[in-house]
């Protein structure tokens, strides 16, 4: 110290700290109010900016107040330098977290806008966040006077050992990146694997893919398994899908009438049931002579995979009622057996009976 510490110095330093804390609190309240207003706008960038400022501004106000308090105290050059270093480190950490949040949110916004789905692919967000935080830590160490060259060398040498020890994790990471970049699967798609699992893709993170089944159960699939399996994507190249329903009528039916009635029912279902495609021209195609009657396929159209169940439900009910009204027979599976008896045929007797009579 260049001089003795007085109550006046403590009062000024305490006032500077209190002012810094009060300013940080007021900034946080003001930015929260701005955040509520930003959520009501169409542009999503203002939400990202306000969120970053809410994290950075209070810490900046506190650091300024603490720096003013340190300047008011009669500190030695060494202590003053250490205090300034701590405050600078605090600001760098706050700026690093704010930058990581801003860049991660921007990456997520770009991902969602390009995939046009409601879910999120967190793998890119996590990679971006970790990269920004790592750069911030290196900048912090360099600012504090710690040489990062030996650290980078050690990381380069140790990276090989880490890669060998984390082969499965890295395989899942790169498989997830490959899946998203190739756009074979995106969050929101309905997929079915060759092993039988199916559902909507909820998220693709750095290790696995989360699939939500229609029963609301979650299936966790490692990215490496998903990338190597045979898979059907019901949302690619488009979400609309053809819906094939098998029907049969009796042999005594007028096929022209059957086709006309069936198409009328199908067109009505397409225009009235949610999930149908109103401008789709329904098709009827006869294809098989069965033991009970004539089989044919009705081709409908659904907006997406989950809509097919309601369309089938309503179509079968409406078609059954219309067939009954029109007198069109719906065959019951069965088999007719015809037995013929020859009147003069000799029925052989068992050999034991023949020997007794002989």
């Amino acid at each position: 110290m260049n001089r003795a510490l007085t109550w006046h110095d403590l009062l000024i330093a305490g006032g500077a700290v209190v002012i810094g804390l009060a300013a940080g609190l007021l900034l946080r309240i003001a930015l929260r109010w701005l955040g509520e207003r930003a959520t009501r706008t169409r542009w999503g960038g203002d939400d990202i900016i306000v969120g970053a400022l809410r994290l950075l501004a209070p810490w900046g106000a506190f650091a300024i107040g603490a720096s003013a308090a340190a300047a008011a105290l009669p500190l030695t050059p060494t202590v003053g330098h250490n205090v300034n270093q701590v405050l600078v480190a605090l600001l760098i950490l706050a700026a690093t977290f704010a930058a990581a949040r801003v860049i991660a949110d921007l990456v997520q916004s770009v991902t969602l806008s390009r995939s046009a789905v409601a879910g999120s692919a967190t793998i890119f967000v996590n990679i971006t966040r970790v990269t920004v935080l790592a750069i911030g830590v290196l900048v912090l160490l360099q600012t504090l006077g710690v040489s990062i060259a030996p650290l980078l060398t050690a990381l380069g040498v140790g990276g090989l050992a880490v890669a060998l020890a984390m082969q499965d994790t890295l395989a899942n990471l790169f498989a997830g990146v490959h899946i998203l970049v190739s756009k074979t699967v995106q969050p929101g798609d309905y997929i079915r694997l060759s092993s039988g699992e199916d559902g909507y893709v909820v998220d693709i993170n750095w290790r696995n893919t989360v699939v939500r089944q229609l029963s609301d159960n979650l299936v966790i699939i490692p990215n490496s398994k998903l990338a190597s399996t045979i898979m059907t994507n019901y949302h690619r190249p488009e979400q609309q899908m053809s819906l094939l329903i098998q029907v049969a009528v009796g042999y005594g039916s007028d096929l022209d009438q059957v086709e006309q009635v069936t198409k009328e029912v199908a067109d009505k279902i397409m225009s009235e049931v949610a999930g149908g495609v109103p401008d789709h021209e329904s098709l009827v195609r006869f294809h098989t002579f069965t033991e009970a009657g004539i089989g044919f396929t009705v081709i409908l159209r659904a907006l997406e995979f989950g809509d097919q169940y309601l369309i089938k439900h309503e179509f079968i009910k409406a078609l059954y009622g219309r067939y009954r009204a029109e007198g069109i027979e719906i065959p019951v599976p069965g088999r007719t057996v015809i037995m013929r008896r020859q009147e003069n045929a000799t029925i052989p007797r068992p050999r034991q009976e023949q020997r007794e009579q002989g």
Side-chain angles (χ1 to χ4, degrees), residues 66-239:
S67 179
L73 296 174
L75 303 176
T76 61
T78 303
V79 175
H81 176 72
N82 292 335
V83 171
N84 290 330
Q85 288 286 85
V86 171
L87 294 177
V88 170
L90 180 64
L91 287 178
I92 291 176
L93 285 177
T96 300
F97 282 106
R101 179 172 180 174
V102 170
I103 297 176
D105 289 343
L106 288 175
V107 170
Q108 185 174 16
S109 300
V110 172
T111 303
L112 294 179
S113 63
R114 291 190 176 183
S115 56
V117 295
S120 64
T122 59
I123 183 171
F124 292 129
V125 177
N126 291 334
I127 292 175
T128 302
R129 184 179 290 113
V130 170
T131 302
V132 174
L133 291 177
I135 294 174
V137 171
L138 293 177
V139 172
L140 174 61
L141 293 176
Q142 187 70 27
T143 303
L144 295 177
V146 179
S147 179
I148 62 175
L151 178 61
L152 294 177
T153 303
L155 290 177
V157 175
L160 179 60
V162 173
L164 292 175
M166 301 178 63
Q167 291 184 14
D168 293 340
T169 300
L170 293 177
N172 288 321
L173 173 62
F174 290 118
V177 173
H178 169 71
I179 290 171
L180 289 174
V181 171
S182 62
K183 295 184 178 181
T184 56
V185 177
Q186 295 290 323
D189 291 352
Y190 192 96
I191 63 173
R192 175 173 292 163
L193 307 184
S194 58
S195 55
E197 295 85 0
D198 62 344
Y200 290 96
V201 177
V202 177
D203 188 22
I204 302 176
N205 54 47
W206 62 275
R207 183 172 180 81
N208 51 55
T209 298
V210 181
V211 175
R212 178 177 58 83
Q213 296 181 314
L214 295 178
S215 59
D216 283 336
N217 296 323
L218 295 181
V219 180
I220 311 300
I221 307 170
N223 292 333
S224 58
K225 298 292 185 182
L226 182 64
S228 60
T229 189
I230 299 175
M231 174 186 60
T232 303
N233 192 335
Y234 290 94
H235 280 192
R236 305 286 169 173
E238 60 177 349
Q239 291 190 10

Side-chain angles (χ1 to χ4, degrees), residues 273-290:
V273 176
V277 182
D279 57 350
H280 171 69
E281 181 182 358
S282 303
L283 301 175
V284 176
R285 294 292 181 264
F286 297 96
H287 54 70
T288 306
F289 291 98
T290 67

Side-chain angles (χ1 to χ4, degrees), residues 34-85:
L34 286 176
E36 294 176 354
R37 298 298 182 274
T39 55
R40 301 175 185 176
T41 62
R42 295 183 179 179
W43 184 48
D46 51 1
D47 299 336
I48 299 175
I49 295 174
V50 173
L53 291 176
R54 286 181 61 185
L55 180 61
L56 181 60
W59 288 105
F62 171 74
I64 293 174
S67 179
L73 296 174
L75 303 176
T76 61
T78 303
V79 175
H81 176 72
N82 292 335
V83 171
N84 290 330
Q85 288 286 85

Side-chain angles (χ1 to χ4, degrees), residues 302-338:
L303 291 177
E304 66 106 14
F305 187 88
D307 296 328
Q308 63 174 314
Y309 301 103
L310 179 60
I311 294 176
K312 286 182 180 180
H313 172 77
E314 296 296 337
F315 175 74
I316 291 176
K317 289 198 307 180
L319 188 65
Y320 178 74
R322 185 68 184 276
Y323 278 5
R324 292 188 63 181
E326 298 289 341
I328 299 175
E329 177 189 1
I330 299 178
V332 178
R335 176 173 296 181
T336 302
V337 179
I338 300 176

